[in-house]
Amino acid sequence: EEPPVDRTIIAREELRRLQIALDRIPPAYRDALLMKKVEGLSRREIAARLGISEQAVKYHIANAMYALADFVYDDRADLGGSP
């Protein structure tokens, strides 16, 4: 069964906003976050790929999440939405 058209439109808009937010964060943060959340890599694997320490990976992922949250919640506030 197909989702209702309005849900599809909302989902597409959310994906577009996420892509914009990802494009706005530093590449090192974005790469670490995508490797963790999309590719499912461990911090050790990410560290090896990026040539950085596991602690740096942890820092990059945390900062990427904070940056995305700031973008999403600030954007909703600008649109009159609730955080």
Side-chain angles (χ1 to χ4, degrees):
E1 180 176 315
E2 299 269 335
V5 175
D6 57 334
R7 292 188 79 200
T8 301
I9 292 169
I10 291 168
R12 284 185 185 154
E13 178 61 20
E14 290 297 318
L15 285 173
R16 185 188 69 78
R17 291 179 60 206
L18 177 60
Q19 185 61 55
I20 290 168
L22 285 168
D23 289 344
R24 290 183 181 184
I25 64 176
Y29 294 177
R30 180 178 55 244
D31 293 345
L33 179 67
L34 293 176
M35 285 182 202
K36 181 70 174 171
K37 299 299 184 182
V38 176
E39 296 180 37
L41 299 179
S42 68
R43 285 198 310 237
R44 178 174 289 172
E45 292 168 318
I46 297 166
R49 280 197 187 180
L50 297 179
I52 60 177
S53 70
E54 287 183 54
Q55 188 63 33
V57 170
K58 183 178 177 181
Y59 173 82
H60 286 351
I61 292 169
N63 283 322
M65 294 298 289
Y66 288 131
L68 289 176
D70 284 347
F71 177 79
V72 168
Y73 291 122
D74 286 348
D75 190 36
R76 283 188 182 160
D78 290 343
L79 296 173
S82 58

